[in-house]
């Protein structure tokens, strides 16, 4: 073991970063994209690009769907209204063990065609916290703890934090420049790295550390009933009860909350005597993740129960949750999250590059070095290329396509994983050149995605910029172009430098 | 070896401490949901400190002893609260 504290922290920083940096990059990259998940959804599901209706929507307009659900003996029926970021109305119901999802055009009341994609909210966002495999959230948790360890050890091995605010020397040797960039991104973004990592861990606190809940609540059900006295009896009697007006309930909910409007209404066991209506309050006006609920009786529409106000500590925890989930609506802050997330990605990537750069001269052909180089390529530029391949596949695959038993949504995901694996293989097969080639590939794919969006949806950039409801699409295309430009520039300057050193 | 001890041992120790913290706070009159919420926020900080300690310390017997103590206290409080309620 290293003799003194700073040295031991340096050792820890290097190795924890090397081993879990790839996972961390994947989590931060997907999390950064999840900041704009609804906007990416709009890009990936062209059928949902519509002007959001200004007039207040009536819940009762969807009564026939609710009656249909009670005929099917659904265990719940839920309606979520469109909002500023999502122009589509969603109806979800569960019949037996099956969940049904309907995306509805709010102005016509008709179902939208099957989008044939998971979109960002169905693929990128779950990838962020579970990596999309069983027990993946445990790996995410481990990486999260590693991130905290890296932050602390990074501060310890650093002598002069404040000088680093203003230190960036691109004209110095590349190793020095990479370290400067790593330090600037790390130090400037430090509050963001720590706050987001910590709050992310706390959200999954009950999963990672079940001992606390087990210690005080031997039976988990009894614990949740302590504060919220709502019990949902199972549908035993099949008595059909008449529904009260959902709009009246929405008005009542609004009068209880003051100004906030309900975000969604859930009818449990519709059509039976055990039916209950739950109204969820929108969290768009506060950071604290309240998820405030009211429960009404469906026969006469009287208020059965409401969630008691949160106590201080629980409120603090919900504040952390809200800080991470960004359910509140504020565009400048949302962009700040996005920019800070990209900053974290830059920090992780430059950490890898610095490690490689410091060792290339001495051990550039060693097996261990080439292993790390391939891993770094696959986990940094590789996941970016794979994400872009996901977008390109989304625009290339025809609707309703089915290949080898996989539907369109699954094929897009296969494209992602296939390309991602290929980038690792590429990194191992072509050391050094890999960075040039993958940078250019990022640029090509980004440009291709923008072109394909134009060709397949007839929504080119000059049109999407002019129409307010298409701004999310315009924003995504612009970022793709900017990112693609940066990737081309990086790739070509790396290629130039490689030529210069070859002539030396 | 040290890494496995830091990650695994630290986890068990933090988890044990979290359990006993919740039990003791509830015994001291805190509401259950509040105790768990506070513990959830503190346990990650504790785990972080334990991991760093294992990597910073020269000889491992001290963290080893403290971890075993924390795990034992966790089991003891869990046993007593389980039979008490």
């Amino acid at each position: 073991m290293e003799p003194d504290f700073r040295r031991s922290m340096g050792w820890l920083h290097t190795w924890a970063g090397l081993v879990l940096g790839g996972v961390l990059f994947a989590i931060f990259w997907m999390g950064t994209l999840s900041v704009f998940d609804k906007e990416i959804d709009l890009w990936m599901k062209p059928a949902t690009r519509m002007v959001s209706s200004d007039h207040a929507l009536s819940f009762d307009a969807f009564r026939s769907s609710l009656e249909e659900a009670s005929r099917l003996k659904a265990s719940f029926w839920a309606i979520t209204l469109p909002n500023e970021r999502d122009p589509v109305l969603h109806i979800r119901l569960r019949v037996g063990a099956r969940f049904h999802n309907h995306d509805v055009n709010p102005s016509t009341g008709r179902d939208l065609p099957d989008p044939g994609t998971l979109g960002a909210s169905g693929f990128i966002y779950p990838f962020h916290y579970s990596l999309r495999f069983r027990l993946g959230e445990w790996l995410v948790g481990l990486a999260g703890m590693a991130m905290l360890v890296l932050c602390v050890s990074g501060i310890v091995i650093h002598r002069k934090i404040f000088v680093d605010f203003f230190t960036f020397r691109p004209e110095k040797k590349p190793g020095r420049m990479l370290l400067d960039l790593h330090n600037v991104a790390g130090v400037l973004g430090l509050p963001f790295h720590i706050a987001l990592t910590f709050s992310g861990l706390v959200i999954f606190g009950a999963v990672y550390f079940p001992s606390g809940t087990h210690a005080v609540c031997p039976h988990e059900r009894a614990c949740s009933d302590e504060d919220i006295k709502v019990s949902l009896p199972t549908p035993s009697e099949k008595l059909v009860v008449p529904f009260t007006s959902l709009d009246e309930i929405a008005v009542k909910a609004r009068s209880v909350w003051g100004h906030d409007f309900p975000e969604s209404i859930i009818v449990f066991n519709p059509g039976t005597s055990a039916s209950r209506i739950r109204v969820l309050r929108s969290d768009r006006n506060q950071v604290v993740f309240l998820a405030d609920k009211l429960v009404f009786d469906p026969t006469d529409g009287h208020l059965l129960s409401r969630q008691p106000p949160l106590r201080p500590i629980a409120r603090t925890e919900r504040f952390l949750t809200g800080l991470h989930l960004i359910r509140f609506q504020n565009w400048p802050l949302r962009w700040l999250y996005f920019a800070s997330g990209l900053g974290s990605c830059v920090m992780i990537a430059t950490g890898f590059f610095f490690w490689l750069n410091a060792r290339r001269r001495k051990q550039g052909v060693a097996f261990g070095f080439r292993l790390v180089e391939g891993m770094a390529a696959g986990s940094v530029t590789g996941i970016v290329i794979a994400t872009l391949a996901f977008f390109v596949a989304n625009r290339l695959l025809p609707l309703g396509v089915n290949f080898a038993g996989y539907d369109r949504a699954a094929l897009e995901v296969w494209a992602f994983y296939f390309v991602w694996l290929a980038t690792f293989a590429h990194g191992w097969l072509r050391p050094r050149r890999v960075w040039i080639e993958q940078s250019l590939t990022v640029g090509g794919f980004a440009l291709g995605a923008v072109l394909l969006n134009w060709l397949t949806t007839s929504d080119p950039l000059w049109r999407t910029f002019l129409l307010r409801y298409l701004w999310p699409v315009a924003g995504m295309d612009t970022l793709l172009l900017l990112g693609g430009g940066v990737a081309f520039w990086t790739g070509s300057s790396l290629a130039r430098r490689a030529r210069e050193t070859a002539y030396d | 070896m040290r890494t496995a001890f830091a990650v695994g041992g630290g986890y068990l120790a933090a988890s044990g401490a979290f359990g006993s913290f919740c039990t003791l706070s509830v015994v001291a009159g805190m509401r259950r949901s509040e105790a768990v919420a506070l513990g959830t926020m503190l346990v990650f900080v504790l785990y972080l400190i334990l991991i760093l300690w294992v990597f910073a310390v020269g000889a491992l017997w001290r963290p080893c002893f403290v971890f075993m103590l924390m795990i034992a206290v966790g089991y003891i409080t869990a046993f007593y609260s389980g039979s008490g309620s």
Side-chain angles (χ1 to χ4, degrees):
Chain A
M1 204 60 218
E2 304 293 341
D4 68 306
F5 184 58
R6 195 192 293 273
R7 292 267 293 281
S8 67
M9 288 294 115
W11 180 89
L12 184 60
H13 192 83
T14 307
W15 292 101
L18 202 59
V19 174
L20 284 163
V23 184
L24 280 174
F25 191 89
I27 297 168
F28 271 92
W29 170 248
M30 290 303 193
T32 305
L33 294 181
S34 300
V35 170
F36 286 122
D37 56 346
K38 295 280 186 279
E39 288 71 21
I40 298 176
D41 277 348
L42 207 67
W43 192 93
M44 295 184 78
K45 304 173 184 175
T48 64
R49 298 176 190 174
M50 57 182 75
V51 186
S52 52
S53 51
D54 285 336
H55 61 275
L57 282 162
S58 159
F59 286 103
D60 284 327
F62 300 91
R63 220 189 158 82
S64 59
S65 164
L66 176 56
E67 279 158 9
E68 173 76 22
S70 53
R71 265 199 302 284
L72 290 169
K73 300 197 171 97
S75 54
F76 77 82
W77 176 91
I79 179 169
T80 306
L81 289 183
N83 59 42
E84 196 184 352
R85 294 181 59 215
D86 185 4
V88 181
L89 184 140
H90 301 278
I91 290 179
R92 297 184 179 89
L93 58 144
R94 183 179 172 174
V95 181
R98 288 199 60 183
F99 288 90
H100 299 267
N101 246 322
H102 298 278
D103 292 345
V104 182
N105 182 337
S107 31
T108 62
R110 286 210 195 89
D111 276 18
L112 292 167
D114 176 27
T117 178
L118 293 174
S121 47
F123 177 74
I124 290 176
Y125 177 51
F127 197 101
H128 165 61
Y129 60 81
S130 72
L131 304 175
R132 283 183 44 98
F133 65 86
R134 244 177 72 81
L135 302 178
E137 65 267 18
W138 283 87
L139 184 55
V140 174
L142 183 67
M145 283 312 297
M147 184 70 190
L148 292 181
V149 166
L150 285 165
C151 285
V152 174
S153 56
I155 297 168
V156 171
I157 56 180
H158 230 64
R159 281 150 218 269
K160 37 184 197 337
I161 284 212
F162 286 99
V163 180
D164 276 333
F165 276 126
F166 313 103
T167 313
F168 181 54
R169 291 161 287 183
E171 73 282 359
K172 287 272 174 87
K173 339 188 274 229
R176 194 60 239 178
M177 186 199 82
L178 284 172
L179 191 57
D180 281 349
L181 200 55
H182 185 66
N183 291 342
V184 167
V187 171
L188 283 184
L190 195 63
F192 178 83
H193 311 316
I194 293 179
L196 270 282
T197 309
F198 182 65
S199 57
L201 286 168
V202 168
I203 292 175
F204 277 92
V207 176
Y208 298 143
F209 286 103
S211 62
T213 327
H214 282 314
V216 293
C217 324
H219 316 290
E220 270 177 50
R221 187 167 280 270
C223 195
S224 60
D225 284 352
E226 177 193 50
D227 285 5
I228 308 161
K229 289 198 168 40
V230 181
S231 56
L232 291 162
T234 47
S236 46
E237 300 143 83
K238 290 297 171 203
L239 258 169
V240 174
V241 284
F243 291 107
T244 179
S245 158
L246 292 180
D247 286 327
E248 262 173 46
I249 286 186
V251 170
K252 271 185 199 164
R254 202 173 180 178
S255 67
V256 174
W257 287 328
H259 286 295
D260 286 348
F261 206 71
E263 177 181 68
S264 54
I265 293 187
I266 310 169
V267 183
F268 291 97
N269 309 320
T272 70
S273 57
S275 182
R276 289 287 180 276
I277 296 179
R278 179 190 280 174
V279 184
L280 270 168
R281 177 181 182 170
S282 156
D283 273 327
R284 66 194 300 286
N285 291 329
Q286 83 253 333
V287 177
V288 180
F289 181 74
L290 269 183
D292 203 357
K293 306 174 197 75
L294 298 176
V295 178
F296 292 92
D297 188 309
T299 39
D300 54 1
H302 75 271
L303 181 64
L304 285 172
S305 72
R306 78 169 296 191
Q307 190 167 294
L310 288 174
R311 273 149 208 291
I313 299 173
R315 204 179 169 81
T316 312
E317 196 199 10
R318 294 297 183 85
F319 176 80
L320 285 174
T321 308
L323 191 74
H324 196 103
L325 296 181
I326 343 176
R327 296 272 296 251
F328 52 92
Q329 193 45 39
N330 183 306
W331 288 113
L333 271 181
R334 197 167 281 279
W335 278 101
L336 186 63
Y337 271 89
F338 184 75
S340 311
L342 284 183
S344 305
C345 292
V346 166
M347 177 187 68
I348 301 167
T350 47
F352 266 126
F353 299 157
F354 178 71
W355 191 94
L356 291 170
N357 196 65
R359 285 160 185 78
R360 188 182 299 280
R361 200 164 291 246
K362 276 190 190 152
Q363 31 179 291
V365 286
F367 172 75
F369 179 87
R370 289 192 51 179
L371 185 75
V372 173
E373 182 164 40
M375 206 184 70
S379 33
V380 177
T381 42
I383 199 167
V384 178
I385 295 175
T387 313
L388 292 170
F390 180 61
F391 296 150
V392 168
N394 171 267
R395 294 288 85 234
L396 274 183
L397 291 169
L399 272 179
V401 70
N402 203 308
F403 179 75
Y406 292 105
D407 62 359
R408 190 179 184 280
L411 289 176
E412 278 179 20
V413 172
W414 278 112
F416 173 88
Y417 285 115
F418 181 75
V419 172
W420 199 17
L421 270 181
T423 58
F424 280 99
H426 180 215
W428 283 313
L429 292 176
R430 290 178 66 79
R432 187 123 216 207
R433 293 286 303 167
V434 62
W435 300 106
I436 301 170
E437 287 162 4
Q438 293 208 358
S439 296
L440 296 177
T441 315
V442 169
F445 270 49
L447 197 65
V450 176
L451 281 177
L452 283 168
N453 176 49
W454 172 22
L455 295 174
T456 55
T457 65
S458 62
D459 282 341
L461 203 50
W462 50 90
R463 183 177 128 84
T464 50
F465 256 120
L466 292 179
L467 298 166
R468 171 64 189 87
Y469 77 99
L470 287 175
W471 276 6
V473 180
M476 174 144 171
D477 275 347
T478 312
L479 282 179
L480 281 170
L481 284 178
L482 281 176
V486 170
F488 273 130
W489 176 77
T490 311
S492 58
S493 45
L494 281 177
R496 186 164 1 95
R497 192 184 300 152
R499 271 198 305 277
E500 280 164 9
T501 48
Y503 286 132
D504 280 347
Chain B
M1 166 65 193
R2 198 179 277 259
T3 311
F5 177 60
V7 174
Y11 174 78
L12 290 177
S15 180
F18 180 32
S20 34
F21 170 81
C22 287
T23 312
L24 295 178
S25 324
V26 171
V27 169
M30 211 170 185
R31 289 177 69 99
R32 291 195 286 192
S33 56
E34 291 279 276
V36 174
L38 182 59
T40 308
M41 289 185 276
L42 293 178
V43 70
F44 290 105
V45 180
L46 176 66
Y47 187 23
L48 173 66
I49 292 169
L50 294 180
I51 293 175
L52 291 173
W53 186 33
V54 171
F55 281 105
V57 81
L60 279 180
W61 65 269
R62 215 190 307 246
C64 198
F65 175 72
V66 173
F67 284 11
M68 287 199 311
L69 194 71
M70 286 162 81
I71 297 168
V73 170
Y75 272 110
I76 292 165
T77 48
F79 177 75
Y80 275 104
S81 71
S83 57
S85 62

